[in-house]
Amino acid sequence: MSSTPNDAPTVPRDPMVSFENTSVQYPNGHRALQNINLNFYPGEFVVIVGLSGAGKSTLIRCVNRLVNPTEGIVRVAGQNIIGLPDGELRKVRARIGMIFQNYNLVRRSSVLRNVLTGRLAHLPAWRTLLGLFPQEDVQLALACLERVGIPEKAYQRADTLSGGQQQRVAIARALAQQPYILLADEPVASLDPPTAHQVMRDLKQLSREENLLTLVNLHFVDMAITYADRIIGLRGGELVYDGTTEGMTEESFEEIYQRRIRPDDVLIKEADTPVEAVSGGR
Amino acid sequence: MEDNPAHSARPSLPPPPPFPWQLWAIAGVVFAFLWWSAVETGVNWEAFREGFPELGEYFGRLLPTSENPWPLDYLPLIQEKLIETIKIALGASIIGSALALPFALLGARNLAAGKWVYNLGRGFLNLVRTIPDLILATLLAAVFGIGPVAGLLALTVFTFGIVAKLLCDTIETIDPGPMESVTAAGGSYLERALYAAFPQVAPDFTAYSLYAFEVNVRAAAVLGLVGAGGIGANLQQSISFMNYSRVGLIIFVTFIVVLIIDTFSTWLRSRLV
Amino acid sequence: MTPAKRYDWLIPTVYAVLTIAALWWSFSDMELTLDRLIKGGAQLSGILRQMSQADWSILPKMGQGLKESVQIAALGTVLAAILAIPFGALAARNLSGVPFVPALGKFLLNFIRAFPELILAIAFIKALGPGAFAGVLAVGIHSIGMMGKLYAERIETVDKGAIEALTATGASPAEVFRHAIVPEVLPDFLSFALYRFDLNVRAATVLGLVGAGGIGTLLDLQRKGGKWETIGVILLGIIVTIGLIDHFSAQLRAKLA
């Protein structure tokens, strides 16, 4: 896999994703995002925090336009993606990988086939509709599986894997797209603590190794502190925090949430297994 | 591809799965069977294309037009037969369900007097359910004479098959608790069935009987085509006399009746569960 | 005894009264006299005796007829399985944009389902002549009703997550359909087809009674001739055939789940 996508901006301070006065208002009047102005840079590992309904999901879905902003501009690699025709939008999405809380794999298909679906947007229609993936794409998919550590599961049905393994398949699928950006919507909410930490470590490592801008929604405040380079805090659709984890504690989140931290905001309850430091190895 | 030297005992790639010869062979056989079937049954697309306009014409003649309206004066004549159709369906549903209840209570797996009884019961049930209702109807018409009696008997057997199976399946999934209490209190088999099992399945039983009634009304409508009573006889006659406007009227009225009964029955069933 | 319990007997009694009244009404004007039943019963025992003297010479013709019925059912089911796809897609609430289209589609499917197969068969016979082809079409067209409804319901409950994920990778709607929806619903569609095939074999045996090919034609002939010795054998053949198909259909469907 390439270490830096060739066509990504190489000048370090040009943002990869930027929100300019972006707002999202749903037809029922609910304002999910209000006047967001943000820049995200290549290779950053950003954690977005906030209560449910604060707008975290909406924010990251604006990046690949699974949600359409009602006001303002969203730029990806400098290009305004609002109002893009479908064909162009698909090209943009092809370079943005996304993983979900419930993995969203095609359950009855094999693991390999699932990873290969990451290549769909990169292949001509006749190949995709007949399901004839060329050898090099298959090799790429297998390499991605190796990268996430589960090559031996390649031909198993996706629903026979454990939660953590399924999430890894989802990550492999995203990697197969050779993305510049990785979006993760509550990727560890359905996993047990050791597996959750494993996945977060993997995501952080990938972000470093591939210089991949990663935006992660998390509601566990301790994980946010442990893994983030940068934290974005949302409340009621508005940006209320944008900064590093320097000196942040769980209490700092009470400022963002405007309420006391509760036990389910924290992954590791008191006096449990200590959080392992982020390191290079697996 | 990046390689991390920290990984020494890494899991390796599995061998790719072998070509699924079996699957393709089966597909081939199925396809060959279908092709051969098409040839043997005379599937003939030219004939279909030629016959299609004629077909359209027949269906067209069923619909009421200005020069060819539906003979509404025919309605009172078929009224009696329509009611007969409903009677057949109703009677068959009631008797069939009534027979199915004791059968299911005696023969369900968790109630039966023994494995032998259970297997016999299941076997008998499968046998009964295998016979198509109209075949039974036409044979019974030969025995009991043409008319609604044959239809009633045929559909009774048909209903029995449907309701008994549904009921058996339901009884097998009930809570064993109440039955254990009855046994613990020294109750007999009959008492167990009546006081523990039946109350739990009573609403389902009614729902199944209603469902059977819905199916029976549809079945009863065509019984007459094989001489077993109901509106089907008029239908057969009208077709033979090529009086297609009558045919159209009969089909339409039957459809309305079936629709009304279906809707009413479905509503009743939803109130039960 | 609490007041409520005093009326406990009321509902079952009302039930019983209603049921008996309904039964009474259904038997009225039906010439269901005891006399008739006794006569029929006597005839029945005579017939059963005839049946026990089974005439096995009918076997080859019976085999032919049964084979034809199975073929009619198979072709009709395949026809319906394929043609029902667009209908099912139209009737599925999550596929079409326009709101009234699914309702229209469902109504159309219910209409086709309600239309009795026998009548369809007779219509096709009139247009195309008697024989198996008319049977295939009757079975096929009628089955579209049920298959289309099953398809639509299955499509409506498809896993939205996989669809969202594939859309997020930049796949086109056709590609999403091919790689997220099809793998999920195809085994179920096959299962529906097997179930319908099972029902269609029964239908195909009956259609012969009006001349649309298969074992029904032979049965009708024997009945008109009063040849109960052969009818018994034919009935046995029908039961065995349908029974076998029931069994294999159930096994295959269990594997697909």
Side-chain angles (χ1 to χ4, degrees), chain C residues 230-252:
Chain C
T230 51
I231 292 181
V233 178
I234 296 176
L235 261 182
L236 195 66
I238 294 178
I239 291 175
V240 167
T241 308
I242 295 183
L244 279 173
I245 291 181
D246 271 1
H247 180 74
F248 285 118
S249 166
Q251 284 211 324
L252 276 171

Side-chain angles (χ1 to χ4, degrees), chain A residues 61 64 66 90 93-94 96 98 100 104-109 113 117 120-121 123 128-131 133 173 177, chain C residues 154 159 161-162 164-176 178-180 183-185 187-188 256-257:
Chain A
R61 279 179 170 74
N64 58 7
L66 285 181
R90 287 202 287 272
R93 283 177 173 165
I96 303 178
M98 187 163 184
F100 303 82
N104 288 353
L105 299 178
V106 180
R107 283 187 282 248
R108 280 174 152 153
S109 291
R113 280 216 157 250
T117 59
L120 286 175
L123 291 169
T128 59
L129 294 179
L130 289 174
F133 293 93
R173 173 175 65 191
Q177 294 176 242
Chain C
R154 185 64 189 88
D159 176 22
E164 190 183 24
L166 259 59
T167 311
T169 66
S172 66
E175 287 164 344
V176 171
R178 165 72 179 80
H179 288 273
E184 189 183 326
V185 303
D188 291 326
L256 280 171

Side-chain angles (χ1 to χ4, degrees), chain A residues 86-163:
Chain A
D86 287 341
E88 294 298 312
L89 179 60
R90 287 202 287 272
K91 283 197 200 138
V92 173
R93 283 177 173 165
R95 294 296 194 174
I96 303 178
M98 187 163 184
I99 63 177
F100 303 82
Q101 177 176 350
N102 293 313
Y103 331 125
N104 288 353
L105 299 178
V106 180
R107 283 187 282 248
R108 280 174 152 153
S109 291
S110 69
V111 162
L112 183 60
R113 280 216 157 250
N114 269 285
V115 177
L116 278 170
T117 59
R119 301 299 305 158
L120 286 175
H122 301 252
L123 291 169
W126 69 271
R127 277 197 178 277
T128 59
L129 294 179
L130 289 174
L132 297 169
F133 293 93
Q135 257 314 302
E136 48 174 24
D137 291 75
V138 175
Q139 290 306 317
L140 172 59
L142 288 170
C144 292
L145 272 179
E146 252 184 297
R147 187 64 181 281
V148 296
I150 46 171
E152 75 280 9
K153 305 276 185 195
Y155 301 105
Q156 280 187 344
R157 229 172 88 150
D159 57 2
T160 58
L161 270 55
S162 72

Side-chain angles (χ1 to χ4, degrees), chain B residues 34 36-38 40-41 44 47-48 55 87 95 129-130 132 134-135 138 143-144 148-149 152 206 222 235, chain C residues 15 25-30 36 40 43 47 67 71 75 119 124 127-128 133 202 205-206 219 223 239 242:
Chain B
L34 288 173
W36 169 67
S37 305
E40 286 212 340
T41 56
N44 186 347
F48 183 66
L55 198 69
K87 283 182 183 176
I95 303 183
R129 292 178 67 233
T130 307
L134 282 166
I135 300 228
T138 192
V143 178
F144 290 91
V149 176
L152 179 71
T206 317
V222 286
L235 198 55
Chain C
Y15 241 175
W25 176 74
S26 5
F27 285 170
S28 60
D29 301 324
M30 221 187 267
R36 211 185 216 226
Q43 237 185 320
I47 283 170
K67 182 192 67 149
Q71 287 172 326
L75 285 171
I119 311 235
F124 282 118
L128 302 158
F133 187 33
R202 287 179 164 80
T205 58
V206 167
L219 187 64
R223 178 187 65 97
I239 291 175
I242 295 183

Side-chain angles (χ1 to χ4, degrees), chain C residues 91-161:
Chain C
R93 259 171 281 150
N94 50 347
L95 277 189
S96 49
V98 194
F100 76 91
V101 168
L104 187 69
K106 289 235 170 83
F107 177 75
L108 201 64
L109 285 172
N110 276 330
F111 177 73
I112 296 178
R113 239 179 110 201
F115 211 88
E117 261 162 322
L118 273 191
I119 311 235
L120 269 180
I122 293 175
F124 282 118
I125 289 173
K126 289 265 174 184
L128 302 158
F133 187 33
V136 171
L137 289 172
V139 166
I141 306 278
H142 179 83
S143 300
I144 292 180
M146 181 197 258
M147 305 261 334
K149 176 164 193 266
L150 287 172
Y151 284 177
E153 285 172 358
R154 185 64 189 88
I155 293 177
E156 279 170 2
T157 57
V158 85
D159 176 22
K160 294 195 184 64

